[in-house]
Amino acid sequence: MTSRDKVITWLNDAYAMEQALEETLLAHAKDAKADPEVRDRIEQHIEETRSQARTVKECIEDLGGTVSGTKAAFANMFGAIQGVANKPMGDTMVKNALADYAAEHFEIASYRALIDATRELGEDEITRKLTEILRQEEDMARFLETKLPGAVHEAMAAA
């Protein structure tokens, strides 16, 4: 396997990750109906996630690869996170925030690795596209970090 092939494989993993996270985010947006700011930000990130998936697909194709139909590993991992987070309880918003925060940081780590790898390949345009995705993931992680204390406070007050 060449370095280029490895990057294509990793990009396919990122594509699968974005596809799986869209489903989780849709459920979490519904759960956040009582908090318009959180709901709106999640809905914005759903659109970002869809765009990120398209961008990652383009990067795969630009490197001469094809999008893999195999995304079960990431879908199962993130589906499991969603299953834990979406049980109907008074702390749903806390569990959703924790799951989303963890997922964002997993994405951040993934994109940082991809950026390093594409830089090593000399793929400057792909590196630029992935850096933009990284910024969006970091922005969402920061937003979630600011909202987590309030979600914990509300869940504790409701206990």
Side-chain angles (χ1 to χ4, degrees):
M1 177 179 277
T2 67
S3 296
R4 185 177 220 79
D5 292 335
K6 282 183 186 177
V7 172
I8 290 169
T9 298
W10 295 341
L11 284 166
N12 266 294
D13 292 343
Y15 179 76
M17 175 178 62
E18 297 296 354
Q19 294 285 316
L21 281 173
E22 181 181 342
E23 296 303 314
T24 300
L25 291 170
L26 286 165
H28 291 184
K30 288 179 187 170
D31 290 340
K33 63 183 175 267
D35 188 334
E37 181 187 8
V38 171
R39 183 198 62 233
D40 291 349
R41 185 60 181 96
I42 292 171
E43 288 174 351
Q44 176 188 337
H45 197 59
I46 291 167
E47 292 307 314
E48 291 171 345
T49 299
R50 289 174 179 152
S51 176
Q52 291 164 3
R54 286 189 300 272
T55 299
V56 171
K57 183 178 186 227
E58 291 169 9
C59 292
I60 292 167
E61 292 166 351
D62 289 348
L63 289 173
T66 57
V67 174
S68 170
T70 309
K71 59 181 181 181
F74 281 105
N76 287 340
M77 182 174 76
F78 286 104
I81 291 171
Q82 178 184 345
V84 168
N86 280 331
K87 293 191 176 170
M89 299 178 182
D91 61 352
T92 298
M93 293 298 289
V94 173
K95 289 182 178 181
N96 286 356
L98 291 172
D100 293 346
Y101 188 71
E104 290 305 319
H105 279 83
F106 186 84
E107 287 183 295
I108 289 166
S110 297
Y111 284 112
R112 284 183 178 160
L114 282 165
I115 288 164
D116 288 342
T118 57
R119 192 173 286 132
E120 280 193 33
L121 288 179
E123 293 289 344
D124 296 337
E125 182 59 20
I126 292 174
T127 300
R128 185 195 63 72
K129 290 177 182 180
L130 297 175
T131 300
E132 179 57 34
I133 292 173
L134 175 62
R135 285 189 192 113
Q136 291 174 344
E137 303 299 1
E138 290 171 336
D139 287 347
M140 185 62 178
R142 278 190 294 274
F143 173 80
L144 292 166
E145 187 171 351
T146 66
K147 295 317 246 176
L148 184 58
V152 169
H153 175 73
E154 287 180 25
M156 295 298 288

